[in-house]
Amino acid sequence: MEVIEKVSSFAGKTFTLWVLFFAIIAYFSPDQFVWLGNYIVPLLGIVMFGMGLTLEASDFKEVMKRPKDVALGVIGHFIIMPLIAFGLAIGLDLPKEVAIGVILVGCCPSGTASNVMVFLARGNVALAVAIASVSTIIAPIVTPLLILLFASKWINISVGSLFLSIVQVVIVPLVLGAIIKKFFGKQASAGAKAMPLVSVIAIVLIVSAVVAGSAAKIAETGLLIFGVVILHNVLGFLIGFFFARLCGMDLAKQKAVAMEVGMQNSGLGVAIASAHFSPLAAVPSAIFSVWHNISGSLLANIFSRMKDKKEKEENPDQNLSA
């Protein structure tokens, strides 16, 4: 188990490199990966099951401790990212399938890697975990309604079928993981150590499947989609940060909200697009899955050097040496 834990830790730290590596291979050799498209939903279910194994009661105690901060973080996430996506789709006159894909990823809950980025950024991890947990749990209701609101200009939306899909691929495995952790704590804790490795493999396969299934379309619109994804993500970080500041939060909370707003559960976007829309609509989510880990790591490095007045007063020597 110790070996698995070390391999799992290594895989988690080098996650972005593996996704990029296999995405490139899938692009140039799509026939080798296109069959994986049939398994996107169960693969995402595995990732969410792993998240369920790591859930703690303390994650939700934070909601009771500071309901205002958590509510603002969740509301900010579900307002800022969909609005940016819609604005980009209209302002850049994106092709129909690309517009749907960008809006889709904008309406998803917080990303599973955001909590790690908040930790690296020296932000308020407890607040970040609470925001991510709440946004994930309410996603079956909020995400379909947001997609209906912002994407119905391009396509007819079935809120009921979207609701069922999100329940199946997010809530059911998440709850199942939490139940197993509750009743088989020792075994679940041991299994959770291997979940980063399993999750990395699952997400790599999901992204590879999407890239392989849309290789021809990516050749036509890849640069456009990549540019829109970067703009969407960076604007999410910036607006999320200043939104938290405007709400009177301290710097650690501002870092947490910025990460939780800007990082999406793009795997869910891939699953929904593949099941309800088109392969090309899944591409923005797949690219987002790669990019937000790169940008999140860069932003975490910048954030880690930022200190508020209280921290500077507590560590005057460190500030002078810096």
Side-chain angles (χ1 to χ4, degrees):
M1 182 56 73
E2 186 177 343
V3 174
I4 294 176
E5 189 175 353
K6 287 181 179 179
V7 173
S8 186
S9 176
F10 173 76
K13 291 176 181 176
T14 56
F15 164 74
T16 303
L17 295 177
W18 292 113
V19 174
L20 279 171
F21 178 71
F22 280 96
I24 292 169
I25 294 176
Y27 178 76
F28 289 105
S29 302
D31 293 342
Q32 306 301 317
F33 294 88
V34 71
W35 60 275
L36 289 167
N38 297 322
Y39 301 97
I40 287 175
V41 170
L43 285 169
L44 180 61
I46 291 171
V47 175
M48 300 313 300
F49 174 78
M51 183 178 174
L53 286 179
T54 64
L55 282 178
E56 301 282 353
S58 58
D59 297 342
F60 298 95
K61 287 179 182 176
E62 195 67 20
V63 180
M64 305 306 296
K65 283 183 185 176
R66 54 190 84 192
K68 180 183 175 183
D69 290 339
V70 176
L72 286 171
V74 173
I75 291 169
H77 176 87
F78 279 124
I79 289 178
I80 292 169
M81 290 303 276
L83 280 175
I84 295 173
F86 183 74
L88 290 172
I90 296 293
L92 299 176
D93 193 22
L94 297 179
K96 173 184 170 182
E97 290 174 304
V98 176
I100 293 169
V102 171
I103 288 171
L104 180 56
V105 74
C107 296
C108 287
S110 293
T112 53
S114 57
N115 301 334
V116 177
M117 300 303 176
V118 174
F119 172 76
L120 295 175
R122 298 182 181 177
N124 191 314
V125 178
L127 176 60
V129 171
I131 292 171
S133 301
V134 172
S135 71
T136 299
I137 289 170
I138 67 174
I141 296 172
V142 177
T143 295
L145 292 175
L146 287 173
I147 295 172
L148 174 66
L149 177 64
F150 291 107
S152 56
K153 170 182 170 62
W154 290 273
I155 195 170
N156 291 326
I157 307 296
S158 172
V159 173
S161 61
L162 286 176
F163 170 82
L164 289 175
S165 288
I166 298 173
V167 168
Q168 289 170 358
V169 301
V170 175
I171 301 301
V172 171
L174 192 70
V175 170
L176 185 60
I179 290 173
I180 289 177
K181 180 179 177 64
K182 173 72 175 177
F183 293 100
F184 304 94
K186 188 176 180 181
Q187 296 89 332
S189 296
K193 294 178 181 178
M195 285 314 298
L197 174 61
V198 175
S199 296
V200 167
I201 293 172
I203 294 173
V204 165
L205 293 177
I206 289 171
V207 173
S208 299
V210 172
V211 171
S214 307
K217 290 287 188 180
I218 291 173
E220 296 176 16
T221 60
L223 286 176
L224 171 66
I225 297 175
F226 202 87
V228 171
V229 165
I230 291 175
L231 197 54
H232 189 192
N233 173 238
V234 171
L235 286 174
F237 283 146
L238 283 172
I239 297 173
F241 182 80
F242 287 107
F243 167 77
R245 176 172 289 186
L246 190 65
C247 292
M249 297 186 191
D250 62 30
L251 182 59
K253 293 177 184 178
Q254 290 169 28
K255 294 174 182 179
V257 172
M259 289 293 190
E260 294 304 327
V261 167
M263 298 185 73
Q264 305 293 89
N265 186 340
S266 45
L268 177 59
V270 169
I272 293 175
S274 301
H276 298 277
F277 302 116
S278 68
L280 182 58
V283 173
S285 291
I287 293 176
F288 204 102
S289 182
V290 179
W291 169 252
H292 77 171
N293 285 283
I294 297 172
S295 62
S297 299
L298 293 172
L299 183 61
N301 185 43
I302 295 170
F303 274 168
S304 67
R305 304 176 188 212
M306 293 172 59
K307 296 179 181 178
D308 58 19
K309 188 179 293 185
K310 182 179 178 181
E311 289 177 304
K312 289 178 180 177
E313 289 173 352
E314 290 175 351
N315 300 284
D317 296 334
Q318 188 175 339
N319 296 322
L320 289 172
S321 61

